[in-house]
Amino acid sequence: MTDSNIPMYTFKDFASDQEVRWCPGCDDYVVLKSIQKALPQMGRKKEDFVFISGIGCSSRFPYYVATYGMHGIHGRAAAIATGVKLANKNLSVWVATGDGDSLAIGGNHFIHLIRRNIDINLVLFNNEIYGLTKGQFSPTSLMGQKTKSSPFGNIQPPFHPGELAIGSGSRFFARVAGGNTKMQQSIFIDAEKFKGTAIVEVLQNCVIFNDGAFDKYTDRAVKDDAQLYVEHGKPMIFGKNSNKGLVLNGLKLEVVTIGENGVEEKDILVHDAHNPDSTLHLMLAKMHMPVVTGIIRAVKEKTYDELCNERIEEVKNNAKFKSVNELFASGETYEVK
Amino acid sequence: MIQENSSSDKNTLKNVVIRFVGDSGDGMQLTGTQFSTTSALLGNDIATFPNYPSEIRAPQGTVYGVSGFQVHIGESAIYTPGDDVDVLVAMNPAALKVNINSVKAGKTIIVDTDSFTAKNISKAGYDENPLLSGDLDQYVVIEAPITSLTREAIKDVGLNKKAMDRSKNMFALGMVYWMFTRPMEHTIDFFKKKFKSKPLVIEANIKTLKAGYNFAQTLELMPSPLVILPAKMKPGTYRIINGNTATAWGFLAAAEKSGLDLYLGSYPITPATDILHELVKHLQFGVKAFQAEDEIAGISSTIGASFAGKLAITTTSGPGLALKGEALGLAVMTELPIVVVNVQRGGPSTGLPTKTEQSDLMQALYGRNGESPAIVIAASTPENCFDFAFEASKLALEHMTPVILLTDGYIANGSAPWKIKTVEEMPNISHRQVSAKDIDGEFEPYARDAETLARSWAIPGTEGLEHRIGGLEKAIDTGNVSMDPLNHEEMTKIRQAKVDKVADFIPNLKVEGAQEGELLVVGWGGTFGSMFTAVNSMFEDGKRIGLAHFNYINPMPKNVADIFSKYKKIIVCELNNGQFHTVLNAKYPQFDYMKYNKIQGLPFSVLDLINKFNQILDNK
C-alpha cells in the first residue's frame, strides 16, 4: 500500500469542478468532505478510485469527487460496481447510495453484493426518507411516520440496515453519524483497508423532509449517552461520564452503570469485531438506545474477486486449449477437399 | 422430401430428413447428434434442430414429455433442418402422436412396438392402438420390438433392466445407420471416450447399436440401403456447431482480436443460457463470466465492466431484454460499448420459452424510455452467429454504443457445418481506449471522432483522464450534467447520428436469386435457411424472384431503397405479426409491402413459402 510513486494529495485534489448542489445544511456535505479528506490517506493513486452511485440525493456524489465515477440508475449501483471491480481488481471501488436506492429498488443487488463479498466499499446514506422525490417514506422510515405518501402515518415496518446486511452475510458493517467527520474519515480508511464488501451506514439528516430524525442520537446534549462507539478489543463503555457499559444478560444486551449494583469495568463486554459468529454483532447493530457507531463487524474472508481471479489462473494453468484458434479446431472436425 | 438422384444409382438420394422422437429421457438428442455427426463426417451437408419440452422430466409416456431431434442431410447445400419428415423414429405412442402430422403419406415410420402397451396408448391420448387401427395405413411402418431386442442383446453385460433400457435409442440408431449406409465407427468411438470409466455402459451401447444394425440388415427393412453422396462444399476444415456455441466463440474471437478481455454478466434464461455455459468453460482466455442475481444485475455489471475497459456483453432472451431496458438506456447515455444478445423465443410474458419467434424486433429497436437509439443486428444461420457476435463486438467498440444482437431459439439450438475460422482471418477491431498522451489540452470525455461521432474511452486507472459519466443528460463535449433545453435536443440528435453513421461501415444488402423482377422476398434474422431454400428453388425454376435478407436492421444498409425499387412486388416474411413490415413501411414508405407471418413458435415451412410466393406470382 505504501508506494513512493503516489503523489502527496490533499483533499482539494479530490474535489471536482462541479458545483455541489445539496440543500444547505445537508449531512451529505459532511460525508463528501470526509471522503475527500480520507482518500489522500489511503495510499492509492487518484486514478484508481471509482465512485459508483444509483439515484437519489446522495447518488450525486460521484460528480463531486475528482476521480473516475458513474452516476448509474436507480438501485443498480452495487451491480455496476461489481462489474467495475471484476473487470479490474486494482481499482478501489466505492458505492454511494441511499436507503431507497439500496434497500428498496436495489435491495436485491445490495444483499447479493454482500453475500458474494466483493471488495467494494458501500456508503449507505440512511436518512429514513426519499429526499429527491420530495418526501415519501422509505424502507427505513419508522412506523407511524407521516410523509407525503403516508399522510396518516406509515404502516410499513422498517428494515434495519445492519440486520439486513448481517443477515446477508456481511463481513464488514460500520455505522457513523452524519455530522461526525472525524469518525467518518477513520471508518472510510478502515473500510478501504478491509478486503471484502464494507458497508458503512451513515445516519444522515435530511434537513428538508425528515429533519431531526437522528437528533435523539446526535444532539450535543444527548449524544454521549445515546451513542456507543465501539472499537475492536475495547470494552463497550459510553456515557457522558464514561461509566455506562454493555453486558449480556441472558440473550439480551443490557446497559449497566459501572459502580452501581456491584458492576465493575471488567464486567463490561469487550468488543470483538473479528468474531466470525455474528450473533453479538447483530444485537449491537439492532440496538436503539444507545445506538452503536463504529465498526461493528470486520471478519476477514476470501473475496469473490479474489476467488474469481484465482479460478482464472488455475484454469489457465490446466487449460486444454491455450488459444481460441486451438479451441475452434478441437474435437470433431473433418476435411472437405 | 427424399429426392431421388436421377443422374445416378436409384439407391442414391439427394437429401433426407430424419426425426428421432421419444420421451425426454430417451436420449433422442444424443441419437440425433450421432446421426448428424456421422453424416457430416461422410461429407454430407447437414442442418439439425432439437425440439424439447420446457418441462425437464415431464411424466413418462405423455405427449408433454416428447423430445425430438431432426436432422436434414444432403449431397447438395442444406439450409434448413427440413419441413417434412422422411423417416420418423418414434420410441413410444406419445411421440408418434405428437409428430405424425409432420410425416407425409408414403414416408417411413419406425416404431418400438414394445412401447405400445395399453397404458402408453391411452396416456398418449389414442382410443385404440394406432398400429392396429389402420391410422398408419398410408405410411411405410417398420415395427420393431426395440426394447425387448435391446434387453436380449445385452442381457449378459450385467446391467439392471432400467440401465439396459437406456441403450434402446442405440438400437434405433443402428437400424437407421444400416438404412442409410452410415458406418458405426464414429458412435463406437464416442462411447469409448465418453464413458471411459464405465466399461459396462460402453459395452451395452456398442452391442445394442450393432444389434440394431444387424436387425435391419437381417430383416432387410428396405430393398437395399440408401446412399447419400457427399455434398459439394467449399474445401476446408469443418466442424458442426450450433448457434449458441458459435455466438460464444464469436465473442472469444472478438476479445482476442481487440486485445481486450471478455466480460459476461448474465442470468440464466432459456434459450440463451448455453452461451453462458460455453463461456464459463474458457476462463483461460481471461473470460470473466459472472452469473448475476437477476437480468438487471447482468447488464448493470456489464456496463460497469465496459466502463472499466472490458469487451463486455450480456446474454438473454425476450423477457430478460425487457428487464434490461432501463440499463440499456444508461449505456446509450454514457456511450459505453456493450453487446446484448437476445436469443428470441415466443412471447409475450413467459410465452413459449423453448420455441422460436422473431417478435422482439420492436423491443430491440424501441423498447427503452426516451430517444434511445442502439445498433441492432441479427444473425441468420447457426454458423454465422459467430460472425455476427464478432461484428456486434466490433461495432460496439468502434462506435462506442450498445449493440443488440438478435438470434433466436431456432438458430441458437440448430446446428450446421461451420468452416472453421481463425482469429487471424477476422477483421481488425480498433477500440477507442486512450491515455493522457493521446489528449491535447483538457480531456473532454464526450469529444467525438469526426467520422464515427464515437467518443473516446478513458478507463479507470488511466492517469490524468479522471472523469464522471452517468445517466443524466450530458453537455456536449465536456460530458458534464446539463439540463439546457437546446443542448438536450442537440445531444439527442448526435446520439441518433452516431448510430446512423454506422451505415457507412456495414456491407450493402445483397439479393439472392433474381436481381430484379416480379417479387422481392424480404426477411431478417434466423429465417434465412427456409426463405433461401424456397426462393432459390423457385429461381432455379425460372421464376423472377429474389431474396433480400437483412442482418443489419439499425441502421439499415444504404442500398435498401435501390434494391426495393427493382421489383414489382415486395413481401416481408417474419415469425411475428409483422414488426419488420411496420419498420419498413415507416422507413421506406414509397414502397408497397405485403406480409407473410407465422406465429406458431415454429420456423417457416419451405413448402408453405413456395406456395405463398407462387400464389403472388400467379396473381399478377
Side-chain angles (χ1 to χ4, degrees):
Chain A
M1 293 290 278
T2 45
D3 183 339
S4 55
N5 294 325
I6 294 167
M8 294 293 285
Y9 299 116
T10 70
F11 80 94
K12 282 183 185 154
D13 291 307
F14 291 94
S16 80
D17 59 355
Q18 296 296 293
E19 188 191 342
V20 185
R21 292 190 191 172
W22 288 307
C23 308
C26 178
D27 275 347
D28 289 3
Y29 284 96
V30 180
V31 181
L32 176 61
K33 202 44 145 304
S34 302
I35 287 273
Q36 287 166 339
K37 284 187 168 170
L39 292 179
Q41 302 176 54
M42 291 180 187
R44 306 192 66 134
K45 291 183 176 171
K46 184 177 157 180
E47 62 268 22
D48 289 339
F49 289 105
V50 183
F51 280 78
I52 307 289
S53 66
I55 295 293
C57 293
S58 57
S59 288
R60 296 294 180 99
F61 207 89
Y63 290 121
Y64 307 138
V65 187
T67 61
Y68 285 93
M70 192 194 306
H71 180 205
I73 45 176
H74 207 8
R76 317 305 168 202
I80 297 170
T82 295
V84 173
K85 184 67 190 182
L86 293 183
N88 185 350
K89 62 180 179 181
N90 298 323
L91 299 174
S92 169
V93 181
W94 292 73
V95 171
T97 181
D99 42 315
D101 197 48
S102 263
L103 306 185
I105 192 168
N108 202 24
H109 312 307
F110 180 76
I111 60 176
H112 288 281
L113 170 70
I114 294 169
R115 173 175 73 88
R116 295 189 185 105
N117 194 32
I118 302 177
D119 186 17
I120 286 172
N121 309 308
L122 183 146
V123 183
L124 179 69
F125 295 70
N126 180 12
N127 56 12
E128 301 186 351
I129 197 79
Y130 281 86
L132 196 66
T133 51
K134 300 187 173 58
Q136 301 75 27
F137 64 87
S138 89
T140 53
S141 295
L142 302 178
M143 283 291 273
Q145 193 170 326
K146 286 187 178 163
T147 71
K148 287 259 185 71
S149 57
S150 59
F152 307 109
N154 178 26
I155 53 172
Q156 297 191 10
F159 263 146
H160 208 298
E163 188 178 15
L164 187 63
I166 292 170
S168 307
S170 179
R171 283 75 167 176
F172 185 107
F173 181 78
R175 188 187 286 129
V176 61
N180 191 338
T181 180
K182 208 172 143 217
M183 196 195 295
Q184 284 170 16
Q185 287 176 52
S186 116
I187 287 179
F188 292 150
I189 290 167
D190 284 337
E192 166 59 26
K193 279 187 202 147
F194 182 81
K195 294 290 152 229
T197 304
I199 306 292
V200 181
E201 180 193 8
V202 179
L203 304 178
Q204 176 242 321
N205 188 41
C206 172
V207 285
I208 306 298
F209 296 107
N210 200 15
D211 195 21
F214 303 110
D215 282 0
K216 58 189 178 228
Y217 307 133
T218 57
D219 245 19
R220 204 171 290 261
V222 298
K223 70 170 197 225
D224 289 339
D225 285 324
Q227 274 187 51
L228 162 61
Y229 175 63
V230 293
E231 285 178 279
H232 175 72
K234 294 195 179 163
M236 292 190 265
I237 291 174
F238 67 107
K240 206 174 278 175
N241 305 318
S242 297
N243 63 344
K244 290 184 181 174
L246 287 189
V247 296
L248 199 55
N249 181 1
L251 290 175
K252 277 186 178 161
L253 286 174
E254 196 175 283
V255 176
V256 294
T257 307
I258 298 166
E260 281 178 16
N261 302 321
V263 175
E264 298 176 45
E265 191 174 323
K266 69 173 173 51
D267 298 325
I268 305 299
L269 282 172
V270 173
H271 181 45
D272 180 6
H274 303 166
N275 188 352
D277 184 334
S278 61
T279 311
L280 204 57
H281 302 148
L282 186 61
M283 291 162 85
L284 290 169
K286 284 176 74 175
M287 196 160 61
H288 284 291
M289 196 51 77
V291 70
V292 177
T293 57
I295 297 166
I296 293 173
R297 179 170 169 80
V299 177
K300 180 84 188 86
E301 259 181 54
K302 266 254 154 102
T303 67
Y304 176 87
D305 39 302
E306 280 173 332
L307 289 168
C308 181
N309 288 308
E310 281 174 18
R311 187 58 46 84
I312 287 179
E313 288 313 311
E314 217 175 275
V315 173
K316 263 183 191 163
N317 294 332
N318 305 315
K320 201 164 146 200
F321 312 115
K322 302 290 181 195
S323 74
V324 297
N325 285 345
E326 272 178 48
L327 168 70
F328 298 166
S330 69
E332 268 167 351
T333 62
Y334 56 97
E335 293 295 325
V336 173
K337 296 208 168 100
Chain B
M1 43 183 138
I2 297 191
Q3 287 177 12
E4 280 190 11
N5 200 332
S6 52
S7 63
S8 57
D9 193 304
K10 202 174 163 196
N11 287 327
T12 65
L13 297 176
K14 266 191 174 353
N15 54 52
V16 66
V17 177
I18 303 173
R19 190 186 288 180
F20 299 91
V21 290
D23 252 332
S24 53
D26 276 346
M28 293 296 99
Q29 310 299 322
L30 172 68
T31 313
T33 311
Q34 285 301 310
F35 188 85
S36 37
T37 311
T38 293
S39 299
L41 293 173
L42 284 179
N44 294 132
D45 196 3
I46 68 155
T48 76
F49 189 64
N51 195 321
Y52 46 85
S54 45
E55 293 83 3
I56 298 300
R57 285 283 181 273
Q60 260 196 340
T62 65
V63 292
Y64 311 107
V66 174
S67 161
F69 191 98
Q70 181 163 316
V71 51
H72 188 183
I73 59 175
E75 66 148 78
S76 53
I78 296 281
Y79 296 96
T80 79
D83 298 350
D84 295 324
V85 175
D86 298 309
V87 179
L88 178 72
V89 180
M91 300 303 282
N92 68 16
L96 178 68
K97 171 110 182 179
V98 170
N99 290 282
I100 189 75
N101 288 339
S102 308
V103 190
K104 289 261 157 70
K107 303 296 185 184
T108 302
I109 298 175
I110 299 175
V111 292
D112 176 8
T113 48
D114 291 330
S115 70
F116 281 69
T117 60
K119 194 172 153 199
N120 281 346
I121 288 166
S122 122
K123 262 199 217 169
Y126 281 114
D127 294 331
E128 51 181 323
N129 188 342
L131 301 180
L132 306 173
S133 65
D135 283 4
L136 305 179
D137 284 355
Q138 49 178 331
Y139 304 104
V140 179
V141 180
I142 297 173
E143 298 189 5
I146 292 176
T147 307
S148 49
L149 288 174
T150 299
R151 287 180 192 162
E152 180 60 27
I154 56 175
K155 61 175 194 271
D156 299 330
V157 172
L159 293 171
N160 64 30
K161 207 179 257 183
K162 203 173 161 193
M164 286 204 281
D165 286 354
R166 268 191 217 123
S167 296
K168 68 185 177 190
N169 56 334
M170 286 302 113
F171 194 95
L173 182 63
M175 289 171 67
V176 181
Y177 273 171
W178 180 82
M179 289 169 66
F180 294 96
T181 1
R182 316 275 100 168
M184 291 183 280
E185 280 70 25
H186 166 72
T187 300
I188 291 172
D189 287 348
F190 167 83
F191 278 107
K192 284 183 178 163
K193 271 187 212 150
K194 173 105 184 173
F195 295 100
K196 230 182 242 167
S197 57
K198 294 178 182 166
L200 293 190
V201 174
I202 298 174
E203 190 187 345
N205 279 293
I206 293 176
K207 276 193 164 162
T208 312
L209 180 73
K210 288 182 175 169
Y213 192 93
N214 295 336
F215 172 80
Q217 189 169 33
T218 313
L219 265 70
E220 293 192 346
L221 293 184
M222 290 187 165
S224 61
L226 298 164
V227 173
I228 299 155
L229 295 172
K232 291 161 203 77
M233 297 169 73
K234 270 190 193 161
T237 310
Y238 284 77
R239 66 179 309 128
I240 296 166
I241 200 163
N242 70 41
N244 273 340
T245 304
T247 303
W249 289 11
F251 289 122
L252 290 176
E256 185 157 326
K257 195 78 189 189
S258 63
L260 302 173
D261 283 340
L262 183 64
Y263 177 91
L264 167 69
S266 185
Y267 187 73
I269 184 169
T270 303
T273 318
D274 283 340
I275 305 173
L276 168 68
H277 293 166
E278 181 60 26
L279 287 174
V280 293
K281 285 189 216 159
H282 305 300
L283 305 186
Q284 74 268 25
F285 305 133
V287 177
K288 294 261 168 77
F290 175 65
Q291 182 177 319
E293 59 272 25
D294 58 28
E295 294 280 358
I296 298 171
I299 187 171
S300 297
S301 71
T302 297
I303 291 170
S306 168
F307 182 51
K310 299 281 163 175
L311 167 54
I313 65 165
T314 182
T315 49
T316 191
S317 185
L321 185 64
L323 286 163
K324 292 181 195 298
E326 187 195 11
L328 250 169
L330 178 65
V332 168
M333 191 61 121
T334 51
E335 305 192 34
L336 285 170
I338 65 166
V339 178
V340 182
V341 181
N342 176 3
V343 185
Q344 298 168 97
R345 63 190 222 185
S349 187
T350 312
L352 311 174
T354 61
K355 309 293 176 193
T356 198
E357 207 161 274
Q358 297 184 299
S359 47
D360 292 340
L361 180 67
M362 288 298 193
Q363 183 180 214
L365 287 170
Y366 305 118
R368 293 170 290 285
N369 63 306
E371 296 290 345
S372 186
I375 297 173
V376 178
I377 63 178
S380 46
T381 64
E383 68 276 17
N384 81 13
C385 285
F386 178 89
D387 303 288
F388 285 98
F390 186 95
E391 177 75 345
S393 310
K394 179 175 162 71
L395 292 175
L397 293 170
E398 294 183 347
H399 296 265
M400 292 295 283
T401 170
V403 176
I404 299 175
L405 170 62
L406 296 174
T407 71
D408 59 55
Y410 179 64
I411 59 172
N413 288 315
S415 296
W418 176 56
K419 189 163 171 291
I420 296 170
K421 293 192 172 169
T422 62
V423 174
E424 289 68 32
E425 67 192 88
M426 300 306 289
N428 277 329
I429 297 178
S430 6
H431 63 70
R432 300 188 44 80
Q433 287 188 8
V434 288
S435 63
K437 65 174 168 27
D438 303 318
I439 307 297
D440 292 333
E442 186 91 342
F443 174 57
E444 294 194 320
Y446 277 69
R448 291 167 197 284
D449 176 80
E451 269 181 55
T452 59
L453 296 182
R455 70 183 191 91
S456 48
W457 192 15
I459 66 170
T462 311
E463 191 184 348
L465 302 186
E466 294 85 352
H467 66 284
R468 279 67 56 196
I469 57 175
L472 287 169
E473 182 59 283
K474 302 278 161 280
I476 289 167
D477 293 342
T478 67
N480 287 328
V481 174
S482 168
M483 295 293 126
D484 179 74
L486 293 177
N487 177 79
H488 174 53
E489 186 162 302
E490 199 171 340
M491 280 299 275
T492 301
K493 289 182 173 165
I494 288 171
R495 285 187 288 267
Q496 182 65 52
K498 181 180 72 171
V499 171
D500 291 344
K501 271 184 176 290
V502 172
D504 296 343
F505 300 87
I506 60 174
N508 269 338
L509 184 63
K510 274 196 296 208
V511 174
E512 308 280 354
Q515 297 300 304
E516 55 179 29
E518 289 296 320
L519 179 62
L520 181 68
V521 175
V522 173
W524 66 275
T527 50
F528 173 78
S530 38
M531 294 182 56
F532 175 74
T533 307
V535 170
N536 195 48
S537 81
M538 292 176 68
F539 176 64
E540 284 181 351
D541 285 348
K543 303 273 166 65
R544 298 181 68 211
I545 185 170
L547 169 69
H549 203 84
F550 284 73
N551 293 109
Y552 295 87
I553 293 173
N554 192 41
M556 288 188 201
K558 288 171 159 177
N559 62 331
V560 172
D562 185 39
I563 283 178
F564 284 7
S565 64
K566 291 178 181 162
Y567 298 83
K568 285 190 183 153
K569 290 178 179 168
I570 301 172
I571 184 163
V572 185
C573 307
E574 306 170 77
L575 300 175
N576 60 35
N577 210 13
Q579 299 187 14
F580 194 48
H581 180 261
T582 305
V583 172
L584 288 173
N585 260 312
K587 202 164 162 67
Y588 301 104
Q590 65 269 43
F591 304 107
D592 287 327
Y593 305 94
M594 291 176 281
K595 60 177 184 173
Y596 180 67
N597 303 95
K598 180 172 180 178
I599 320 160
Q600 301 168 11
L602 295 169
F604 282 128
S605 129
V606 172
L607 204 61
D608 289 352
L609 290 172
I610 290 175
N611 288 341
K612 178 72 190 174
F613 302 153
N614 272 327
Q615 206 181 11
I616 295 167
L617 290 172
D618 292 346
N619 283 341
K620 50 186 161 190

